[in-house]
Amino acid sequence: MQVLGEQLGQSSPSTDPRDRRKLKNVTFEYESDYRAVHDMAGDAGYSLASNWFTQLLAQLAVANSITKSQLCVFLYVAGGQERGTGVAQYTQQEITDGLNKLAEKKKDGKRITRSTVNRAVRALAGYKWVEQLGNGVIQLNVKLWFHGNSTAQHAVLERIAAQHDRDPEAFPNAIGPDVHQEELDLGFTQQTNYNRGKRTG
């Protein structure tokens, strides 16, 4: 502040110190910048999800185009990704145990099996929602769900693109699944069409 005051006081460009006028008083006015922060439930932080994809998830579930197991496995993995990487460190047994955590507390709680989780992970990889990088390492499609800022997301996308020879049809592009229509007993009076659109921007 002292240096800034001295610079402001030197109002004349003259090199002769006798020609300079000194500013005797500088007043700064400021107000606190209260930036709103997210108020999220729980202590696990939050992630950014594509609004388009979030609605698509609901549409796919109603259209019976994804199974309950696939939906649950994806949401569990998406919520457990490491910040700035899009990677979740889970074995299939850990996913199974994590999904069964509440069911174990109930006498008649329905549980998911490891073989069901295995099938769900394979299906999600086929949809290009996730990619298995090795035992216990799952890469999430960060165009759909990402825990981190945009700079980190672009870095992850660049790394993924390089690993796949920049193939426009490879992970994480060409998102599935193809929607099929199926009549459901959900209280609807007529069948609804669900058309999947590929996001372009």
Side-chain angles (χ1 to χ4, degrees), residues 54-67:
T54 303
Q55 290 189 321
L56 178 64
L57 275 179
Q59 293 169 343
L60 290 170
V62 170
N64 208 27
S65 291
I66 56 172
T67 67

PDB file of all heavy atoms in Angstrom, residues 54-67:
ATOM      1  N   THR A  54     -28.335 -36.269 -17.408  1.00  0.00           N
ATOM      2  CA  THR A  54     -29.145 -36.542 -16.224  1.00  0.00           C
ATOM      3  C   THR A  54     -30.590 -36.826 -16.618  1.00  0.00           C
ATOM      4  O   THR A  54     -31.218 -37.764 -16.110  1.00  0.00           O
ATOM      5  CB  THR A  54     -29.091 -35.353 -15.251  1.00  0.00           C
ATOM      6  OG1 THR A  54     -27.723 -35.082 -14.912  1.00  0.00           O
ATOM      7  CG2 THR A  54     -29.857 -35.646 -13.976  1.00  0.00           C
ATOM      8  N   GLN A  55     -31.118 -36.036 -17.558  1.00  0.00           N
ATOM      9  CA  GLN A  55     -32.472 -36.292 -18.030  1.00  0.00           C
ATOM     10  C   GLN A  55     -32.536 -37.586 -18.842  1.00  0.00           C
ATOM     11  O   GLN A  55     -33.508 -38.337 -18.761  1.00  0.00           O
ATOM     12  CB  GLN A  55     -32.973 -35.115 -18.869  1.00  0.00           C
ATOM     13  CG  GLN A  55     -33.232 -33.870 -18.026  1.00  0.00           C
ATOM     14  CD  GLN A  55     -33.917 -32.778 -18.812  1.00  0.00           C
ATOM     15  OE1 GLN A  55     -33.613 -32.567 -19.981  1.00  0.00           O
ATOM     16  NE2 GLN A  55     -34.827 -32.081 -18.170  1.00  0.00           N
ATOM     17  N   LEU A  56     -31.485 -37.856 -19.626  1.00  0.00           N
ATOM     18  CA  LEU A  56     -31.447 -39.091 -20.400  1.00  0.00           C
ATOM     19  C   LEU A  56     -31.473 -40.306 -19.481  1.00  0.00           C
ATOM     20  O   LEU A  56     -32.144 -41.303 -19.779  1.00  0.00           O
ATOM     21  CB  LEU A  56     -30.205 -39.133 -21.291  1.00  0.00           C
ATOM     22  CG  LEU A  56     -30.013 -40.408 -22.123  1.00  0.00           C
ATOM     23  CD1 LEU A  56     -31.141 -40.570 -23.133  1.00  0.00           C
ATOM     24  CD2 LEU A  56     -28.666 -40.405 -22.824  1.00  0.00           C
ATOM     25  N   LEU A  57     -30.766 -40.243 -18.366  1.00  0.00           N
ATOM     26  CA  LEU A  57     -30.782 -41.344 -17.406  1.00  0.00           C
ATOM     27  C   LEU A  57     -32.200 -41.658 -16.961  1.00  0.00           C
ATOM     28  O   LEU A  57     -32.618 -42.822 -16.917  1.00  0.00           O
ATOM     29  CB  LEU A  57     -29.942 -40.988 -16.174  1.00  0.00           C
ATOM     30  CG  LEU A  57     -28.443 -41.241 -16.201  1.00  0.00           C
ATOM     31  CD1 LEU A  57     -27.827 -40.798 -14.890  1.00  0.00           C
ATOM     32  CD2 LEU A  57     -28.142 -42.712 -16.452  1.00  0.00           C
ATOM     33  N   ALA A  58     -32.951 -40.614 -16.646  1.00  0.00           N
ATOM     34  CA  ALA A  58     -34.329 -40.815 -16.202  1.00  0.00           C
ATOM     35  C   ALA A  58     -35.178 -41.392 -17.332  1.00  0.00           C
ATOM     36  O   ALA A  58     -35.997 -42.297 -17.109  1.00  0.00           O
ATOM     37  CB  ALA A  58     -34.914 -39.489 -15.717  1.00  0.00           C
ATOM     38  N   GLN A  59     -34.983 -40.886 -18.547  1.00  0.00           N
ATOM     39  CA  GLN A  59     -35.748 -41.385 -19.686  1.00  0.00           C
ATOM     40  C   GLN A  59     -35.429 -42.842 -19.980  1.00  0.00           C
ATOM     41  O   GLN A  59     -36.321 -43.648 -20.270  1.00  0.00           O
ATOM     42  CB  GLN A  59     -35.458 -40.521 -20.924  1.00  0.00           C
ATOM     43  CG  GLN A  59     -35.986 -39.107 -20.798  1.00  0.00           C
ATOM     44  CD  GLN A  59     -35.466 -38.196 -21.897  1.00  0.00           C
ATOM     45  OE1 GLN A  59     -34.479 -38.514 -22.563  1.00  0.00           O
ATOM     46  NE2 GLN A  59     -36.126 -37.071 -22.088  1.00  0.00           N
ATOM     47  N   LEU A  60     -34.148 -43.192 -19.907  1.00  0.00           N
ATOM     48  CA  LEU A  60     -33.748 -44.580 -20.153  1.00  0.00           C
ATOM     49  C   LEU A  60     -34.336 -45.518 -19.104  1.00  0.00           C
ATOM     50  O   LEU A  60     -34.741 -46.641 -19.417  1.00  0.00           O
ATOM     51  CB  LEU A  60     -32.223 -44.689 -20.158  1.00  0.00           C
ATOM     52  CG  LEU A  60     -31.487 -44.052 -21.334  1.00  0.00           C
ATOM     53  CD1 LEU A  60     -29.985 -44.030 -21.075  1.00  0.00           C
ATOM     54  CD2 LEU A  60     -31.797 -44.778 -22.632  1.00  0.00           C
ATOM     55  N   ALA A  61     -34.390 -45.061 -17.862  1.00  0.00           N
ATOM     56  CA  ALA A  61     -34.938 -45.892 -16.795  1.00  0.00           C
ATOM     57  C   ALA A  61     -36.428 -46.129 -17.014  1.00  0.00           C
ATOM     58  O   ALA A  61     -36.918 -47.261 -16.878  1.00  0.00           O
ATOM     59  CB  ALA A  61     -34.683 -45.240 -15.437  1.00  0.00           C
ATOM     60  N   VAL A  62     -37.165 -45.089 -17.369  1.00  0.00           N
ATOM     61  CA  VAL A  62     -38.598 -45.229 -17.615  1.00  0.00           C
ATOM     62  C   VAL A  62     -38.857 -46.103 -18.832  1.00  0.00           C
ATOM     63  O   VAL A  62     -39.765 -46.933 -18.844  1.00  0.00           O
ATOM     64  CB  VAL A  62     -39.257 -43.838 -17.781  1.00  0.00           C
ATOM     65  CG1 VAL A  62     -40.688 -43.974 -18.281  1.00  0.00           C
ATOM     66  CG2 VAL A  62     -39.229 -43.078 -16.462  1.00  0.00           C
ATOM     67  N   ALA A  63     -38.032 -45.936 -19.873  1.00  0.00           N
ATOM     68  CA  ALA A  63     -38.195 -46.722 -21.094  1.00  0.00           C
ATOM     69  C   ALA A  63     -37.673 -48.147 -20.946  1.00  0.00           C
ATOM     70  O   ALA A  63     -37.742 -48.936 -21.876  1.00  0.00           O
ATOM     71  CB  ALA A  63     -37.479 -46.030 -22.259  1.00  0.00           C
ATOM     72  N   ASN A  64     -37.157 -48.464 -19.769  1.00  0.00           N
ATOM     73  CA  ASN A  64     -36.604 -49.793 -19.490  1.00  0.00           C
ATOM     74  C   ASN A  64     -35.470 -50.141 -20.452  1.00  0.00           C
ATOM     75  O   ASN A  64     -35.289 -51.291 -20.844  1.00  0.00           O
ATOM     76  CB  ASN A  64     -37.697 -50.858 -19.569  1.00  0.00           C
ATOM     77  CG  ASN A  64     -37.395 -52.051 -18.667  1.00  0.00           C
ATOM     78  OD1 ASN A  64     -36.703 -51.913 -17.666  1.00  0.00           O
ATOM     79  ND2 ASN A  64     -37.898 -53.210 -19.022  1.00  0.00           N
ATOM     80  N   SER A  65     -34.692 -49.116 -20.832  1.00  0.00           N
ATOM     81  CA  SER A  65     -33.576 -49.322 -21.750  1.00  0.00           C
ATOM     82  C   SER A  65     -32.257 -49.515 -21.021  1.00  0.00           C
ATOM     83  O   SER A  65     -31.248 -49.796 -21.637  1.00  0.00           O
ATOM     84  CB  SER A  65     -33.468 -48.136 -22.709  1.00  0.00           C
ATOM     85  OG  SER A  65     -34.572 -48.133 -23.584  1.00  0.00           O
ATOM     86  N   ILE A  66     -32.269 -49.303 -19.722  1.00  0.00           N
ATOM     87  CA  ILE A  66     -31.142 -49.697 -18.878  1.00  0.00           C
ATOM     88  C   ILE A  66     -31.721 -50.414 -17.670  1.00  0.00           C
ATOM     89  O   ILE A  66     -32.865 -50.176 -17.286  1.00  0.00           O
ATOM     90  CB  ILE A  66     -30.276 -48.495 -18.408  1.00  0.00           C
ATOM     91  CG1 ILE A  66     -31.119 -47.458 -17.671  1.00  0.00           C
ATOM     92  CG2 ILE A  66     -29.515 -47.879 -19.558  1.00  0.00           C
ATOM     93  CD1 ILE A  66     -30.303 -46.359 -17.021  1.00  0.00           C
ATOM     94  N   THR A  67     -30.943 -51.285 -17.095  1.00  0.00           N
ATOM     95  CA  THR A  67     -31.427 -52.018 -15.928  1.00  0.00           C
ATOM     96  C   THR A  67     -31.179 -51.196 -14.665  1.00  0.00           C
ATOM     97  O   THR A  67     -30.352 -50.278 -14.634  1.00  0.00           O
ATOM     98  CB  THR A  67     -30.716 -53.370 -15.789  1.00  0.00           C
ATOM     99  OG1 THR A  67     -29.327 -53.140 -15.480  1.00  0.00           O
ATOM    100  CG2 THR A  67     -30.825 -54.189 -17.072  1.00  0.00           C
TER     101      THR A  67
END
